[in-house]
Amino acid sequence: MSAATATWTPFSFPWDIIVIHGPCTDGIVAGWIVWSKLPADYRAALATMGGTYANVPARDAIASQATAPRASGPSPTSLRGAQALLALGFPVVFVETQPDEQLPLEMVAGRRVLFCYRGPGANVNDVVAAAAAVRVIDHHSGSESRICDAALVATGKYSYLYEPGKQHSGASLTWQEFNAGLPIPAFVR
């Protein structure tokens, strides 16, 4: 990976690491919703690195994720790829993981981490302790005890939007988080 040609105007964003359940349709769309809120020049810089959001319209992101162009090295949305982007100075990265895949604590240390459509996994206590802030957006029934932990909330570094059941997808909850009051598009539902 090389960021030699990737440049962007400095910007402020509430999250440094966005963790999505991938390669899952709901997780990819949830990540796209967050990605779409980044400045255009930063999205273009991420696109030069390849991966899921490399110059692909949202409705085509899922179909083309396996064939999207990619810079040499690990996928930029893998754990290794996201760590490499952080090391290159990218301020916001996306990570596709499986629900109980643990994030390296050195990756989250001091950073603000958003989990979209997936909980933080078995090492949630360690992630919250290491990170500057953690927010979880999820709808999976059965995740409540881990996600809605009062002790984690009491740390002041942890919050969640959790609505279990089939009324909302993880992507639609992410849409509500980033587009309050706007109607949810059909492809997000």
Side-chain angles (χ1 to χ4, degrees), residues 119-131:
N123 68 338
V124 61
N125 293 333
D126 295 332
V127 169
V128 171

Side-chain angles (χ1 to χ4, degrees), residues 6 38 41 58 61 71 98 113 135 154 161 167 170 176:
L38 292 166
D41 63 338
Q98 293 301 306
V113 184
R135 180 146 176 91
L161 171 59
Q167 181 178 357
Q176 291 173 6

Side-chain angles (χ1 to χ4, degrees), residues 15 133-137 147 152-153 156-161 177:
W15 304 106
V134 174
R135 180 146 176 91
V136 175
I137 300 172
I147 292 173
L152 290 174
V153 173
K157 296 177 14 175
Y158 179 85
S159 62
Y160 62 87
L161 171 59
E177 179 88 358

Side-chain angles (χ1 to χ4, degrees), residues 10 16 34-35 53 65 79 81 107 117 125 127 135 148 153 155 180:
D16 306 313
V34 179
W35 175 86
Y53 307 108
Q65 66 184 342
L79 281 170
M107 180 180 185
Y117 182 64
N125 293 333
V127 169
R135 180 146 176 91
C148 304
V153 173
T155 67

